[in-house]
Amino acid sequence: MKSNCMHLAIPAGDLETAKEFYCDILGCKTGNSEAGHWIDIDFWGNELTLHQSTEQLPNVRHEVDMGAVAVPHFGAHLPNEEFQALKARIEAAGLEYLDKPYRRFVGNEYEQETFFIKDPNGNVLEMKSMKNPELMFK
């Protein structure tokens, strides 16, 4: 993991259930942990800390070009091949999308495919694959 990665800590509900989702379905790896309290997940090079919890984050919807998206949310930009493999794992696991895969900015240099999914504790993830990822912060 790089030393300038992002760190995000979220309420995860049951840690074993959350770990199965993030590792078995999404394909992430585990890191440091404190049994029964929290576990670090290597979320595509970023440190996602899942905390054992009974609470959930509230969700609202905000209007954007593709409709009303759930906020808060977090996710990762993936190379297309990895993004398509992730979609296949989600579908093979029988999970439902919160917002099905959708192509945004079609024909534009920022064209991307995106989808939203909830983890077992209701945290919303947006996963993306950009046609030209080098333009993200141009």
Side-chain angles (χ1 to χ4, degrees), residues 116-137:
F116 289 77
I117 192 165
K118 285 187 175 185
D119 76 5
N121 198 47
N123 296 299
V124 179
L125 288 73
E126 179 184 16
M127 305 305 288
K128 298 181 178 190
S129 180
M130 294 184 69
K131 185 175 178 181
N132 300 300
E134 68 279 2
L135 299 178
M136 187 181 332
F137 296 115

mmCIF file with all atom_site columns, all heavy atoms in Angstrom, residues 116-137:
data_model
loop_
_atom_site.group_PDB
_atom_site.id
_atom_site.type_symbol
_atom_site.label_atom_id
_atom_site.label_alt_id
_atom_site.label_comp_id
_atom_site.label_asym_id
_atom_site.label_entity_id
_atom_site.label_seq_id
_atom_site.pdbx_PDB_ins_code
_atom_site.Cartn_x
_atom_site.Cartn_y
_atom_site.Cartn_z
_atom_site.occupancy
_atom_site.B_iso_or_equiv
_atom_site.pdbx_formal_charge
_atom_site.auth_seq_id
_atom_site.auth_comp_id
_atom_site.auth_asym_id
_atom_site.auth_atom_id
_atom_site.pdbx_PDB_model_num
ATOM 1   N N   . PHE A 1 116 ? -23.872 1.640  -8.435  1.00 0.00 ? 116 PHE A N   1
ATOM 2   C CA  . PHE A 1 116 ? -23.941 1.808  -6.984  1.00 0.00 ? 116 PHE A CA  1
ATOM 3   C C   . PHE A 1 116 ? -24.434 0.503  -6.373  1.00 0.00 ? 116 PHE A C   1
ATOM 4   O O   . PHE A 1 116 ? -25.321 -0.151 -6.924  1.00 0.00 ? 116 PHE A O   1
ATOM 5   C CB  . PHE A 1 116 ? -24.918 2.933  -6.600  1.00 0.00 ? 116 PHE A CB  1
ATOM 6   C CG  . PHE A 1 116 ? -24.425 4.309  -6.925  1.00 0.00 ? 116 PHE A CG  1
ATOM 7   C CD1 . PHE A 1 116 ? -24.456 4.794  -8.226  1.00 0.00 ? 116 PHE A CD1 1
ATOM 8   C CD2 . PHE A 1 116 ? -23.945 5.134  -5.924  1.00 0.00 ? 116 PHE A CD2 1
ATOM 9   C CE1 . PHE A 1 116 ? -24.016 6.073  -8.521  1.00 0.00 ? 116 PHE A CE1 1
ATOM 10  C CE2 . PHE A 1 116 ? -23.498 6.418  -6.213  1.00 0.00 ? 116 PHE A CE2 1
ATOM 11  C CZ  . PHE A 1 116 ? -23.538 6.884  -7.513  1.00 0.00 ? 116 PHE A CZ  1
ATOM 12  N N   . ILE A 1 117 ? -23.854 0.143  -5.234  1.00 0.00 ? 117 ILE A N   1
ATOM 13  C CA  . ILE A 1 117 ? -24.245 -1.055 -4.500  1.00 0.00 ? 117 ILE A CA  1
ATOM 14  C C   . ILE A 1 117 ? -24.123 -0.753 -3.005  1.00 0.00 ? 117 ILE A C   1
ATOM 15  O O   . ILE A 1 117 ? -23.343 0.113  -2.619  1.00 0.00 ? 117 ILE A O   1
ATOM 16  C CB  . ILE A 1 117 ? -23.378 -2.268 -4.901  1.00 0.00 ? 117 ILE A CB  1
ATOM 17  C CG1 . ILE A 1 117 ? -23.967 -3.558 -4.370  1.00 0.00 ? 117 ILE A CG1 1
ATOM 18  C CG2 . ILE A 1 117 ? -21.930 -2.079 -4.524  1.00 0.00 ? 117 ILE A CG2 1
ATOM 19  C CD1 . ILE A 1 117 ? -23.383 -4.814 -5.009  1.00 0.00 ? 117 ILE A CD1 1
ATOM 20  N N   . LYS A 1 118 ? -24.907 -1.453 -2.209  1.00 0.00 ? 118 LYS A N   1
ATOM 21  C CA  . LYS A 1 118 ? -24.806 -1.288 -0.758  1.00 0.00 ? 118 LYS A CA  1
ATOM 22  C C   . LYS A 1 118 ? -24.055 -2.475 -0.167  1.00 0.00 ? 118 LYS A C   1
ATOM 23  O O   . LYS A 1 118 ? -24.229 -3.606 -0.605  1.00 0.00 ? 118 LYS A O   1
ATOM 24  C CB  . LYS A 1 118 ? -26.195 -1.233 -0.114  1.00 0.00 ? 118 LYS A CB  1
ATOM 25  C CG  . LYS A 1 118 ? -26.912 0.064  -0.315  1.00 0.00 ? 118 LYS A CG  1
ATOM 26  C CD  . LYS A 1 118 ? -28.205 0.095  0.498   1.00 0.00 ? 118 LYS A CD  1
ATOM 27  C CE  . LYS A 1 118 ? -28.873 1.440  0.405   1.00 0.00 ? 118 LYS A CE  1
ATOM 28  N NZ  . LYS A 1 118 ? -30.069 1.506  1.278   1.00 0.00 ? 118 LYS A NZ  1
ATOM 29  N N   . ASP A 1 119 ? -23.239 -2.188 0.848   1.00 0.00 ? 119 ASP A N   1
ATOM 30  C CA  . ASP A 1 119 ? -22.614 -3.279 1.598   1.00 0.00 ? 119 ASP A CA  1
ATOM 31  C C   . ASP A 1 119 ? -23.654 -3.819 2.587   1.00 0.00 ? 119 ASP A C   1
ATOM 32  O O   . ASP A 1 119 ? -24.773 -3.292 2.671   1.00 0.00 ? 119 ASP A O   1
ATOM 33  C CB  . ASP A 1 119 ? -21.303 -2.829 2.252   1.00 0.00 ? 119 ASP A CB  1
ATOM 34  C CG  . ASP A 1 119 ? -21.436 -1.973 3.499   1.00 0.00 ? 119 ASP A CG  1
ATOM 35  O OD1 . ASP A 1 119 ? -22.563 -1.750 3.998   1.00 0.00 ? 119 ASP A OD1 1
ATOM 36  O OD2 . ASP A 1 119 ? -20.389 -1.520 4.002   1.00 0.00 ? 119 ASP A OD2 1
ATOM 37  N N   . PRO A 1 120 ? -23.342 -4.885 3.317   1.00 0.00 ? 120 PRO A N   1
ATOM 38  C CA  . PRO A 1 120 ? -24.340 -5.483 4.212   1.00 0.00 ? 120 PRO A CA  1
ATOM 39  C C   . PRO A 1 120 ? -24.878 -4.555 5.296   1.00 0.00 ? 120 PRO A C   1
ATOM 40  O O   . PRO A 1 120 ? -25.954 -4.800 5.841   1.00 0.00 ? 120 PRO A O   1
ATOM 41  C CB  . PRO A 1 120 ? -23.596 -6.667 4.836   1.00 0.00 ? 120 PRO A CB  1
ATOM 42  C CG  . PRO A 1 120 ? -22.553 -7.025 3.839   1.00 0.00 ? 120 PRO A CG  1
ATOM 43  C CD  . PRO A 1 120 ? -22.131 -5.707 3.236   1.00 0.00 ? 120 PRO A CD  1
ATOM 44  N N   . ASN A 1 121 ? -24.158 -3.473 5.620   1.00 0.00 ? 121 ASN A N   1
ATOM 45  C CA  . ASN A 1 121 ? -24.628 -2.540 6.636   1.00 0.00 ? 121 ASN A CA  1
ATOM 46  C C   . ASN A 1 121 ? -25.276 -1.298 6.027   1.00 0.00 ? 121 ASN A C   1
ATOM 47  O O   . ASN A 1 121 ? -25.567 -0.337 6.721   1.00 0.00 ? 121 ASN A O   1
ATOM 48  C CB  . ASN A 1 121 ? -23.489 -2.132 7.577   1.00 0.00 ? 121 ASN A CB  1
ATOM 49  C CG  . ASN A 1 121 ? -23.996 -1.542 8.880   1.00 0.00 ? 121 ASN A CG  1
ATOM 50  O OD1 . ASN A 1 121 ? -24.891 -2.089 9.508   1.00 0.00 ? 121 ASN A OD1 1
ATOM 51  N ND2 . ASN A 1 121 ? -23.436 -0.406 9.280   1.00 0.00 ? 121 ASN A ND2 1
ATOM 52  N N   . GLY A 1 122 ? -25.492 -1.302 4.727   1.00 0.00 ? 122 GLY A N   1
ATOM 53  C CA  . GLY A 1 122 ? -26.163 -0.186 4.070   1.00 0.00 ? 122 GLY A CA  1
ATOM 54  C C   . GLY A 1 122 ? -25.262 0.935  3.609   1.00 0.00 ? 122 GLY A C   1
ATOM 55  O O   . GLY A 1 122 ? -25.744 1.950  3.107   1.00 0.00 ? 122 GLY A O   1
ATOM 56  N N   . ASN A 1 123 ? -23.924 0.790  3.749   1.00 0.00 ? 123 ASN A N   1
ATOM 57  C CA  . ASN A 1 123 ? -22.999 1.796  3.215   1.00 0.00 ? 123 ASN A CA  1
ATOM 58  C C   . ASN A 1 123 ? -23.031 1.705  1.697   1.00 0.00 ? 123 ASN A C   1
ATOM 59  O O   . ASN A 1 123 ? -23.010 0.613  1.128   1.00 0.00 ? 123 ASN A O   1
ATOM 60  C CB  . ASN A 1 123 ? -21.581 1.549  3.726   1.00 0.00 ? 123 ASN A CB  1
ATOM 61  C CG  . ASN A 1 123 ? -21.491 1.708  5.222   1.00 0.00 ? 123 ASN A CG  1
ATOM 62  O OD1 . ASN A 1 123 ? -21.757 2.763  5.766   1.00 0.00 ? 123 ASN A OD1 1
ATOM 63  N ND2 . ASN A 1 123 ? -21.128 0.628  5.911   1.00 0.00 ? 123 ASN A ND2 1
ATOM 64  N N   . VAL A 1 124 ? -23.079 2.852  1.036   1.00 0.00 ? 124 VAL A N   1
ATOM 65  C CA  . VAL A 1 124 ? -23.207 2.894  -0.417  1.00 0.00 ? 124 VAL A CA  1
ATOM 66  C C   . VAL A 1 124 ? -21.839 3.051  -1.071  1.00 0.00 ? 124 VAL A C   1
ATOM 67  O O   . VAL A 1 124 ? -21.052 3.914  -0.685  1.00 0.00 ? 124 VAL A O   1
ATOM 68  C CB  . VAL A 1 124 ? -24.146 4.040  -0.849  1.00 0.00 ? 124 VAL A CB  1
ATOM 69  C CG1 . VAL A 1 124 ? -24.255 4.109  -2.368  1.00 0.00 ? 124 VAL A CG1 1
ATOM 70  C CG2 . VAL A 1 124 ? -25.523 3.866  -0.220  1.00 0.00 ? 124 VAL A CG2 1
ATOM 71  N N   . LEU A 1 125 ? -21.594 2.203  -2.064  1.00 0.00 ? 125 LEU A N   1
ATOM 72  C CA  . LEU A 1 125 ? -20.358 2.253  -2.840  1.00 0.00 ? 125 LEU A CA  1
ATOM 73  C C   . LEU A 1 125 ? -20.695 2.584  -4.278  1.00 0.00 ? 125 LEU A C   1
ATOM 74  O O   . LEU A 1 125 ? -21.671 2.057  -4.831  1.00 0.00 ? 125 LEU A O   1
ATOM 75  C CB  . LEU A 1 125 ? -19.650 0.896  -2.826  1.00 0.00 ? 125 LEU A CB  1
ATOM 76  C CG  . LEU A 1 125 ? -18.977 0.449  -1.542  1.00 0.00 ? 125 LEU A CG  1
ATOM 77  C CD1 . LEU A 1 125 ? -19.997 0.039  -0.510  1.00 0.00 ? 125 LEU A CD1 1
ATOM 78  C CD2 . LEU A 1 125 ? -18.046 -0.693 -1.837  1.00 0.00 ? 125 LEU A CD2 1
ATOM 79  N N   . GLU A 1 126 ? -19.904 3.470  -4.880  1.00 0.00 ? 126 GLU A N   1
ATOM 80  C CA  . GLU A 1 126 ? -19.991 3.736  -6.310  1.00 0.00 ? 126 GLU A CA  1
ATOM 81  C C   . GLU A 1 126 ? -18.680 3.282  -6.931  1.00 0.00 ? 126 GLU A C   1
ATOM 82  O O   . GLU A 1 126 ? -17.609 3.752  -6.574  1.00 0.00 ? 126 GLU A O   1
ATOM 83  C CB  . GLU A 1 126 ? -20.196 5.224  -6.615  1.00 0.00 ? 126 GLU A CB  1
ATOM 84  C CG  . GLU A 1 126 ? -20.248 5.486  -8.113  1.00 0.00 ? 126 GLU A CG  1
ATOM 85  C CD  . GLU A 1 126 ? -20.344 6.960  -8.496  1.00 0.00 ? 126 GLU A CD  1
ATOM 86  O OE1 . GLU A 1 126 ? -20.072 7.825  -7.636  1.00 0.00 ? 126 GLU A OE1 1
ATOM 87  O OE2 . GLU A 1 126 ? -20.663 7.239  -9.661  1.00 0.00 ? 126 GLU A OE2 1
ATOM 88  N N   . MET A 1 127 ? -18.783 2.355  -7.862  1.00 0.00 ? 127 MET A N   1
ATOM 89  C CA  . MET A 1 127 ? -17.600 1.858  -8.551  1.00 0.00 ? 127 MET A CA  1
ATOM 90  C C   . MET A 1 127 ? -17.643 2.393  -9.978  1.00 0.00 ? 127 MET A C   1
ATOM 91  O O   . MET A 1 127 ? -18.711 2.470  -10.590 1.00 0.00 ? 127 MET A O   1
ATOM 92  C CB  . MET A 1 127 ? -17.572 0.330  -8.522  1.00 0.00 ? 127 MET A CB  1
ATOM 93  C CG  . MET A 1 127 ? -17.654 -0.243 -7.104  1.00 0.00 ? 127 MET A CG  1
ATOM 94  S SD  . MET A 1 127 ? -16.400 0.351  -5.955  1.00 0.00 ? 127 MET A SD  1
ATOM 95  C CE  . MET A 1 127 ? -14.967 -0.484 -6.607  1.00 0.00 ? 127 MET A CE  1
ATOM 96  N N   . LYS A 1 128 ? -16.466 2.763  -10.501 1.00 0.00 ? 128 LYS A N   1
ATOM 97  C CA  . LYS A 1 128 ? -16.388 3.392  -11.810 1.00 0.00 ? 128 LYS A CA  1
ATOM 98  C C   . LYS A 1 128 ? -15.263 2.800  -12.649 1.00 0.00 ? 128 LYS A C   1
ATOM 99  O O   . LYS A 1 128 ? -14.284 2.303  -12.113 1.00 0.00 ? 128 LYS A O   1
ATOM 100 C CB  . LYS A 1 128 ? -16.093 4.888  -11.677 1.00 0.00 ? 128 LYS A CB  1
ATOM 101 C CG  . LYS A 1 128 ? -17.117 5.704  -10.966 1.00 0.00 ? 128 LYS A CG  1
ATOM 102 C CD  . LYS A 1 128 ? -16.677 7.160  -10.934 1.00 0.00 ? 128 LYS A CD  1
ATOM 103 C CE  . LYS A 1 128 ? -17.700 8.039  -10.269 1.00 0.00 ? 128 LYS A CE  1
ATOM 104 N NZ  . LYS A 1 128 ? -17.387 9.464  -10.438 1.00 0.00 ? 128 LYS A NZ  1
ATOM 105 N N   . SER A 1 129 ? -15.429 2.936  -13.954 1.00 0.00 ? 129 SER A N   1
ATOM 106 C CA  . SER A 1 129 ? -14.359 2.653  -14.898 1.00 0.00 ? 129 SER A CA  1
ATOM 107 C C   . SER A 1 129 ? -14.405 3.744  -15.956 1.00 0.00 ? 129 SER A C   1
ATOM 108 O O   . SER A 1 129 ? -15.395 3.876  -16.678 1.00 0.00 ? 129 SER A O   1
ATOM 109 C CB  . SER A 1 129 ? -14.536 1.282  -15.540 1.00 0.00 ? 129 SER A CB  1
ATOM 110 O OG  . SER A 1 129 ? -13.474 1.050  -16.450 1.00 0.00 ? 129 SER A OG  1
ATOM 111 N N   . MET A 1 130 ? -13.350 4.549  -16.008 1.00 0.00 ? 130 MET A N   1
ATOM 112 C CA  . MET A 1 130 ? -13.298 5.657  -16.960 1.00 0.00 ? 130 MET A CA  1
ATOM 113 C C   . MET A 1 130 ? -12.622 5.231  -18.257 1.00 0.00 ? 130 MET A C   1
ATOM 114 O O   . MET A 1 130 ? -11.639 4.486  -18.243 1.00 0.00 ? 130 MET A O   1
ATOM 115 C CB  . MET A 1 130 ? -12.540 6.836  -16.357 1.00 0.00 ? 130 MET A CB  1
ATOM 116 C CG  . MET A 1 130 ? -13.255 7.465  -15.178 1.00 0.00 ? 130 MET A CG  1
ATOM 117 S SD  . MET A 1 130 ? -12.411 8.933  -14.540 1.00 0.00 ? 130 MET A SD  1
ATOM 118 C CE  . MET A 1 130 ? -12.679 10.092 -15.882 1.00 0.00 ? 130 MET A CE  1
ATOM 119 N N   . LYS A 1 131 ? -13.150 5.722  -19.359 1.00 0.00 ? 131 LYS A N   1
ATOM 120 C CA  . LYS A 1 131 ? -12.569 5.443  -20.679 1.00 0.00 ? 131 LYS A CA  1
ATOM 121 C C   . LYS A 1 131 ? -11.168 6.027  -20.774 1.00 0.00 ? 131 LYS A C   1
ATOM 122 O O   . LYS A 1 131 ? -10.262 5.405  -21.333 1.00 0.00 ? 131 LYS A O   1
ATOM 123 C CB  . LYS A 1 131 ? -13.478 6.023  -21.770 1.00 0.00 ? 131 LYS A CB  1
ATOM 124 C CG  . LYS A 1 131 ? -13.062 5.713  -23.155 1.00 0.00 ? 131 LYS A CG  1
ATOM 125 C CD  . LYS A 1 131 ? -14.104 6.240  -24.150 1.00 0.00 ? 131 LYS A CD  1
ATOM 126 C CE  . LYS A 1 131 ? -13.675 5.977  -25.579 1.00 0.00 ? 131 LYS A CE  1
ATOM 127 N NZ  . LYS A 1 131 ? -14.668 6.500  -26.521 1.00 0.00 ? 131 LYS A NZ  1
ATOM 128 N N   . ASN A 1 132 ? -10.965 7.221  -20.200 1.00 0.00 ? 132 ASN A N   1
ATOM 129 C CA  . ASN A 1 132 ? -9.673  7.903  -20.214 1.00 0.00 ? 132 ASN A CA  1
ATOM 130 C C   . ASN A 1 132 ? -9.286  8.302  -18.790 1.00 0.00 ? 132 ASN A C   1
ATOM 131 O O   . ASN A 1 132 ? -9.350  9.493  -18.434 1.00 0.00 ? 132 ASN A O   1
ATOM 132 C CB  . ASN A 1 132 ? -9.733  9.153  -21.106 1.00 0.00 ? 132 ASN A CB  1
ATOM 133 C CG  . ASN A 1 132 ? -10.089 8.835  -22.524 1.00 0.00 ? 132 ASN A CG  1
ATOM 134 O OD1 . ASN A 1 132 ? -9.385  8.097  -23.205 1.00 0.00 ? 132 ASN A OD1 1
ATOM 135 N ND2 . ASN A 1 132 ? -11.201 9.379  -23.007 1.00 0.00 ? 132 ASN A ND2 1
ATOM 136 N N   . PRO A 1 133 ? -8.873  7.344  -17.938 1.00 0.00 ? 133 PRO A N   1
ATOM 137 C CA  . PRO A 1 133 ? -8.604  7.656  -16.538 1.00 0.00 ? 133 PRO A CA  1
ATOM 138 C C   . PRO A 1 133 ? -7.520  8.714  -16.327 1.00 0.00 ? 133 PRO A C   1
ATOM 139 O O   . PRO A 1 133 ? -7.518  9.412  -15.310 1.00 0.00 ? 133 PRO A O   1
ATOM 140 C CB  . PRO A 1 133 ? -8.203  6.317  -15.935 1.00 0.00 ? 133 PRO A CB  1
ATOM 141 C CG  . PRO A 1 133 ? -7.803  5.463  -17.082 1.00 0.00 ? 133 PRO A CG  1
ATOM 142 C CD  . PRO A 1 133 ? -8.591  5.952  -18.258 1.00 0.00 ? 133 PRO A CD  1
ATOM 143 N N   . GLU A 1 134 ? -6.647  8.886  -17.303 1.00 0.00 ? 134 GLU A N   1
ATOM 144 C CA  . GLU A 1 134 ? -5.575  9.874  -17.157 1.00 0.00 ? 134 GLU A CA  1
ATOM 145 C C   . GLU A 1 134 ? -6.124  11.299 -17.162 1.00 0.00 ? 134 GLU A C   1
ATOM 146 O O   . GLU A 1 134 ? -5.434  12.245 -16.771 1.00 0.00 ? 134 GLU A O   1
ATOM 147 C CB  . GLU A 1 134 ? -4.530  9.694  -18.270 1.00 0.00 ? 134 GLU A CB  1
ATOM 148 C CG  . GLU A 1 134 ? -5.021  10.044 -19.665 1.00 0.00 ? 134 GLU A CG  1
ATOM 149 C CD  . GLU A 1 134 ? -5.848  8.969  -20.370 1.00 0.00 ? 134 GLU A CD  1
ATOM 150 O OE1 . GLU A 1 134 ? -6.120  7.908  -19.792 1.00 0.00 ? 134 GLU A OE1 1
ATOM 151 O OE2 . GLU A 1 134 ? -6.229  9.214  -21.536 1.00 0.00 ? 134 GLU A OE2 1
ATOM 152 N N   . LEU A 1 135 ? -7.372  11.485 -17.570 1.00 0.00 ? 135 LEU A N   1
ATOM 153 C CA  . LEU A 1 135 ? -7.977  12.816 -17.623 1.00 0.00 ? 135 LEU A CA  1
ATOM 154 C C   . LEU A 1 135 ? -8.719  13.198 -16.335 1.00 0.00 ? 135 LEU A C   1
ATOM 155 O O   . LEU A 1 135 ? -9.245  14.300 -16.237 1.00 0.00 ? 135 LEU A O   1
ATOM 156 C CB  . LEU A 1 135 ? -8.951  12.902 -18.802 1.00 0.00 ? 135 LEU A CB  1
ATOM 157 C CG  . LEU A 1 135 ? -8.354  12.698 -20.187 1.00 0.00 ? 135 LEU A CG  1
ATOM 158 C CD1 . LEU A 1 135 ? -9.450  12.774 -21.249 1.00 0.00 ? 135 LEU A CD1 1
ATOM 159 C CD2 . LEU A 1 135 ? -7.248  13.715 -20.458 1.00 0.00 ? 135 LEU A CD2 1
ATOM 160 N N   . MET A 1 136 ? -8.766  12.307 -15.351 1.00 0.00 ? 136 MET A N   1
ATOM 161 C CA  . MET A 1 136 ? -9.555  12.556 -14.147 1.00 0.00 ? 136 MET A CA  1
ATOM 162 C C   . MET A 1 136 ? -9.230  13.891 -13.496 1.00 0.00 ? 136 MET A C   1
ATOM 163 O O   . MET A 1 136 ? -10.110 14.621 -13.073 1.00 0.00 ? 136 MET A O   1
ATOM 164 C CB  . MET A 1 136 ? -9.375  11.420 -13.129 1.00 0.00 ? 136 MET A CB  1
ATOM 165 C CG  . MET A 1 136 ? -10.311 11.569 -11.951 1.00 0.00 ? 136 MET A CG  1
ATOM 166 S SD  . MET A 1 136 ? -10.158 10.286 -10.670 1.00 0.00 ? 136 MET A SD  1
ATOM 167 C CE  . MET A 1 136 ? -9.583  8.867  -11.509 1.00 0.00 ? 136 MET A CE  1
ATOM 168 N N   . PHE A 1 137 ? -7.960  14.222 -13.384 1.00 0.00 ? 137 PHE A N   1
ATOM 169 C CA  . PHE A 1 137 ? -7.568  15.466 -12.721 1.00 0.00 ? 137 PHE A CA  1
ATOM 170 C C   . PHE A 1 137 ? -6.741  16.365 -13.631 1.00 0.00 ? 137 PHE A C   1
ATOM 171 O O   . PHE A 1 137 ? -5.868  17.076 -13.181 1.00 0.00 ? 137 PHE A O   1
ATOM 172 C CB  . PHE A 1 137 ? -6.776  15.169 -11.426 1.00 0.00 ? 137 PHE A CB  1
ATOM 173 C CG  . PHE A 1 137 ? -7.600  14.463 -10.394 1.00 0.00 ? 137 PHE A CG  1
ATOM 174 C CD1 . PHE A 1 137 ? -7.281  13.168 -10.009 1.00 0.00 ? 137 PHE A CD1 1
ATOM 175 C CD2 . PHE A 1 137 ? -8.684  15.100 -9.792  1.00 0.00 ? 137 PHE A CD2 1
ATOM 176 C CE1 . PHE A 1 137 ? -8.036  12.516 -9.046  1.00 0.00 ? 137 PHE A CE1 1
ATOM 177 C CE2 . PHE A 1 137 ? -9.443  14.461 -8.845  1.00 0.00 ? 137 PHE A CE2 1
ATOM 178 C CZ  . PHE A 1 137 ? -9.122  13.164 -8.458  1.00 0.00 ? 137 PHE A CZ  1
#
